[in-house]
Amino acid sequence: MAPLLFILPAIIPLLIFWIYPMGKSFLISFTNWDYVSPDYEFVGFSNYTDLLTDPTFYSVLLNTFVFSMGVVLPCVVGGLLLALLVSGKSKGMGIYRTLIFSPWVTPTVAISIVWSWIYEPKVGFANWILNLLHLPGLEWTSSSTWAMPAVIIVSVWKGVGWAMIFYLNALKKVPVSLYEAASLDGASKWRQFVHITIPIISPTTLFLVVITSIDALQAYDQIQVLTQGGPAGSTRTMLYFYYQTAFEEFNMGKATATAIILVLITGVFSFLQFLLSKRWVHYQ
């Protein structure tokens, strides 16, 4: 009993704020509850079958996949490149690191409001830059073609500094003796980077890929502020679809079924990443 008493302060919040809501949501996904009425009835798997036979759901699923891939790869690769650029001890590097990391500590809503001004078609900064380069201006968030790239750019701009911080710490742990030995053997800087740096920092890469993927699958704030899922549903991801189904259509059963599917996708995606990591992640 004594060990149980010690972990009880951690278990109680876990039960109240995670396990119980998860179980309750799972039950609601089998009902036709409208979020307002005290009465509801169990409808079996009809919420799930409705989703899986609805073309809109697959459009939302595709948008979620495109958004996640568009955010994860640039954040991880960009974070590594930025870490390599500012990892030196030259004067002023601390200022650069702070500036690059600062978007991460700024609320997503505030960032999205600023970027909505940048994307303004007539007087926005983005089209001003394009005009300087003699390129035509874009409609950005008003265009079903450019709305998703616009949201991805904002998400990458916010997250790349966060990835850089982890890579800065990982790069410090690479033994200098390995580089010295490789130099004596005549290995170029590129070969040292590929065969020494990349393998040793691979656990950090795995961590960033998993966490950034989960964060991308749960994106909501920037979509709400910039596009509200539009135009024509081009930026409607699964979490935003959940919000619209639950609080605009008051179909809580179908909404929680969407959330359960999102949790399953996140779990399977994370499991596959850990499974595949055995082939490319090296632990010292």
Side-chain angles (χ1 to χ4, degrees):
M1 288 297 292
L4 183 61
L5 290 175
F6 280 112
I7 63 174
L8 206 56
I11 289 179
I12 290 175
L14 193 68
L15 288 171
I16 295 175
F17 298 110
W18 192 68
I19 295 177
Y20 174 74
M22 282 285 291
K24 188 73 175 180
S25 299
F26 186 68
L27 289 176
I28 291 174
S29 70
F30 294 101
T31 71
N32 62 353
W33 189 39
D34 62 2
Y35 192 65
V36 178
S37 172
D39 301 320
Y40 56 84
E41 60 179 296
F42 284 92
V43 294
F45 286 92
S46 64
N47 288 324
Y48 291 93
T49 53
D50 287 348
L51 281 174
L52 297 177
T53 55
D54 185 359
T56 303
F57 176 74
Y58 292 100
S59 170
V60 167
L61 201 61
L62 179 62
N63 288 342
T64 306
F65 178 77
V66 170
F67 177 80
S68 300
M69 291 298 102
V71 170
V72 173
L73 192 61
C75 274
V76 174
V77 176
L80 176 58
L81 293 177
L82 287 172
L84 291 170
L85 286 173
V86 300
S87 60
K89 297 180 180 178
S90 304
K91 190 176 180 180
M93 283 297 176
I95 297 174
Y96 292 128
R97 294 170 197 155
T98 304
L99 289 174
I100 295 170
F101 180 68
S102 58
W104 178 255
V105 297
T106 307
T108 306
V109 172
I111 285 175
S112 302
I113 291 172
V114 172
W115 274 90
S116 67
W117 297 337
I118 293 173
Y119 285 141
E120 209 285 325
K122 294 182 179 177
V123 295
F125 184 70
N127 278 351
W128 181 74
I129 294 292
L130 291 177
N131 291 332
L132 283 181
L133 299 173
H134 303 289
L135 295 173
L138 303 174
E139 292 297 323
W140 294 108
T141 55
S142 303
S143 163
S144 56
T145 303
W146 289 101
M148 180 60 83
V151 178
I152 289 174
I153 289 170
V154 175
S155 303
V156 171
W157 182 76
K158 178 177 171 58
V160 72
W162 182 76
M164 178 200 71
I165 292 296
F166 284 92
Y167 274 127
L168 281 172
N169 185 52
L171 290 172
K172 289 179 182 176
K173 295 178 180 177
V174 181
V176 178
S177 59
L178 293 179
Y179 293 125
E180 293 173 347
S183 296
L184 291 175
D185 290 338
S188 64
K189 291 291 183 183
W190 173 249
R191 289 178 66 85
Q192 291 177 30
F193 176 72
V194 172
H195 296 289
I196 297 176
T197 306
I198 293 293
I200 290 181
I201 66 173
S202 57
T204 301
T205 303
L206 173 63
F207 168 79
L208 289 172
V209 168
V210 172
I211 298 300
T212 310
S213 299
I214 294 173
D215 190 52
L217 288 170
Q218 298 174 351
Y220 171 77
D221 294 349
Q222 58 270 57
I223 296 171
Q224 171 65 30
V225 175
L226 288 169
T227 64
Q228 292 84 46
S234 59
T235 58
R236 184 164 49 191
T237 58
M238 286 193 69
L239 199 62
Y240 198 81
F241 180 72
Y242 163 83
Y243 165 78
Q244 289 184 315
T245 307
F247 303 109
E248 292 180 5
E249 300 175 10
F250 296 100
N251 190 343
M252 191 56 72
K254 186 177 178 181
T256 49
T258 306
I260 295 296
I261 293 174
L262 180 60
V263 171
L264 290 175
I265 291 173
T266 305
V268 170
F269 195 60
S270 301
F271 175 75
L272 289 176
Q273 286 175 334
F274 278 109
L275 198 65
L276 295 174
S277 69
K278 294 178 182 177
R279 298 187 176 185
W280 61 274
V281 176
H282 303 274
Y283 296 98
Q284 290 182 335

